[in-house]
Structures are given as C-alpha cells and as structure tokens.
Amino acid sequence: MAEQGLHQAEGAVNDEALFENEDQDFEFDESGLELAAKEADLDYEAELEGIYPNENLSLPEAWNSGTAILPTITDWSSTELTREGSDGPAPFRSGAITPDGFIEEDFEAEIGTPSLNNYFQDDEETDEEFQDIAEHKILEVAGDDLYGRKVIVFAACKLPPSAQIDHQRLLEYMKHVLDQYVENDYVIVYFHFGLTSKNKPKLSWLIQIYKELDRKYKKNLKAWYIVHPTNFIKILWNIFKPFISHVKFGRKIMYVNYLHELKEHLHFDQLVVPPLVLQHDAKMVASNKPKYPYGQDSNDAGTLPTQQYGVSLHHIKSHYGTVIPPVVQQTVDYLRQNALDVEGIFRRSANAVQLKAVQKKFNQGETVNFAVEGDEHIPAVALKIFLRDLQEPLLTFDLYQPILRLHTVEDERKVAEVRRMLHEELPEDNYQILKFIVQLLTEVVDHSAMNKMNSSNLAIVFGPNLLWPKGQASLSSMGYLNNFARLLIDNYSQLFDR
C-alpha cells in the first residue's frame, strides 16, 4: 500500500515547476485565473475532507487552450500531489529521490562574515522583525536529511485564517528563511493536511510567489516531499500541464502518503510534525493498514562491531582503539590534501549511490580510497552525515541549552565562556574530535577566495550537525547553533589552544 501511495505521486511536475523551472518565464493573467477558478467551481474545503465529488471533472476550455493560469497555494502541494494525468504518468518517478548532488550553476557571491559583536544578535533582531509571522511556526528548519542537505518544513495546518495574517509579510518571512540556506543544497517537506477554505491564501499570492522565488531559490532545491496528497491534485496537474514543460523539477518531487515513508530519506525524529498531521496520519494508517516498509527499527537491527555510522563515539573507540574515528580521520586527511580549493566544498551534496557505498565500507571497517571515487564532495558529505548520525551530538545534549543561552552573555565574555564550556564541560574525546574538525574548517576558510566558503557558509552547514536537541529544534534555535559554529571557526586559536 505504501508503494502504491508513492506511485500516486506521478504527475506532480506542475506545482513544483512554479519554483523549479529555470529556463522559462510564464506570463500570468490574473483575471484569467479568477475566471478559471470560477468556472472550475473548486471546493477546497471539500477537497480537504476528501469528498471531492467528481474526479473526472472536465476542465474549462480555457485551461486546455493554455490561456488560464495557476491555482492557489491551497493547491500548491495539491498540485504536485497528483496521481496520474489523463495521458499517462507525468515525467516523474514516484518515490525516487534524485540527489544528483551536482550544482551546474555558479555560486552566488560570498556571504559577508559579521563581526564578533554580532554573534547571536542577528537572530534576535530577525525574531523581532517577523515576530508576528514566526510565532505561528508555519516554517521550520529541521536539520539535515540523510544526504546532508538542509530540511525546510512548511505546515499548511499552521496557517491562521486569512483575515488574521498578512500574506505579504509571510512571503517576506519565507524569503528571509530561505535566504539563509539556498546557497547550499536543501529539501522541502510540505505538510498539506490542514489547508481549508478559511486559511488558504488568494491566487494572486501564489502568482507573486512564483515571480519572486526565482532561480536563486530553485537551483539548489534537491527534493520536495509533499506529505498526505489528495485526489484533488489530479485536477490541478491538468490545470498546470499547459504551462509547464520543463521536466527537471518534476524529478525532485516525491509524494508521501504516510509519515513513515519519510524515514527512508530524512531523520524523522528531528522533523517538526504538527500534532494535527500526526493525528491525521494515524487515522490513515489505521484505516488503510499500509504495509510498513521497515521490518524492524534500525536500533534493533543489530550493530556491527566495526560500525561507525549511527552509533556512539564510545562504540567506535572500543573497537578501533582511537579517539578520532577512522571515518573522521580519513575524510579530514583527504579533504586537507585535495579539496581546500574546491568551490562549494561542504556546501554541495554528492551522489547518493556513491555515498551509501562509502558508508557501507566504513561500517565494515574498510579503508576508503576517495581518489578512486573521483569526487571531492563525497568525503565532505560523508563527514557531515557521520556527525549527524551519531547517537548523541558531538557537542552533547547537555550543552544544548547552555549554548542557546550564549546570546544573553555580554559580547566581550562570549569567547571566554565558550572556551570554559569546551574545556570544562565537553568530554575529552568529544573535545579532541571537535578540535580536529574545526581546525580543518579554519583551513577551508583560509582558501575561501577559491572555494567560496567563508566561516558563515561553513557555520550554516555544520551548526545543526554539531548539536541538536533530544526533541525537535525550533527555527530560532537553528540560528543560534549556526552562530555558535561560526564563533568556533573564527576564534579557533583562542578556544582550542591549551
């Protein structure tokens, strides 16, 4: 049943094409949109309840002729969640993530590095600027996926009634959040359940999103997961079909009928899943009884003595007898010798098949010859994944709250307090591993004129991989973690020299 659910995702190219089509610009006729919406008599509330009366609804002639335009954000995820078009499957392989990992476009200009006095303060200013929007928690950042790419979560059920939110400011807030991550590879998880006629934005707002979220936001988007698609998507696909011909974006879309399907691609425990979505999913599972694709939990599947991914530092040390795990030693050594000048190092993703093969070799206690792999980004991503897969973060759960509270410390005392924290509260083995990795990052920064990776860029990549909470992290906390990582890199000699 789960496999069937994923196959129902075919044809979702259109909706995503709003954000992904890089080669074409489409002109929009808002009056045509309004006319199309009236002719279709689309009942979004019925769609949400799953009682859309006629799946074979014939579309207005204007849509078939290509003179009408796109539906509302209500259909945003719906659009991509279509099952199969009338003329067969869309150019999209359902359930197939495509982390090609190679960015063809040039990187944007480097992000400037703030002064020390601004550590932990930028996020407070942002929180104040968008407090009215951020408090709804519509948009969240949930760490990295299994391929080391940032995960952005959008929950439709958290949208308040349209009369209670300024959608223009919501768009500005969305751009502000995405601006922090679009220079790196990232994925989007969209929870569609909870979008009703009361909280759906207007068609004109969706059109504005299409126009303003340009190539900058599209180029590094590697996957778009649409959770709990509905039958209504089928109609939306037919609406978008005349306007979207670019198939590249369609390969990035995945329809997910049940939450457990996300576990194949994401760290599910770090996802910010709204209670309403959890309840809806539980009802669907109880009603449809899908076959659970993971026979037993990974924690119960047995751990190899040589395993390095997904285990504790103690487990690795007890087998290999070294403080620095072999995967860290080998990746850092190779990167130091071969990748300091590689543009976008640590920012770009890598081929998923090669990554899995490398992880398997490390878990079996083998030495990996990265020169044979032929891609400097593979050891970089392998290192990030290792850190994120640790059973406890390198900076430990105990330091999570103290690190978040650093923004309350006076600027002149921040470095001294972090030094005390690292030397007195961080376990010795964790300290040595952290020092070993951060030293490499300082060398990467020294070559930033070539690799385009300054401390701000690296901090965005490593912050969530060095520390996370036992529960779900908030968007505001993500900023503090990134700032802490930047402080480690910029002040390496003061923090780590004994």
Side-chain angles (χ1 to χ4, degrees), residues 39 42 93 138 141 207 210 279 295 419:
E39 291 179 355
L42 305 181
R93 294 185 304 119
I138 301 165
V141 179
I207 297 172
Y210 172 79
Q279 294 169 13
R419 177 182 171 85

Side-chain angles (χ1 to χ4, degrees), residues 15-32:
D15 205 2
E16 305 183 14
L18 292 178
F19 295 88
E20 176 59 11
N21 191 316
E22 301 175 3
D23 300 329
Q24 306 180 33
D25 289 324
F26 301 112
E27 296 182 359
F28 293 91
D29 176 6
E30 293 192 29
S31 61

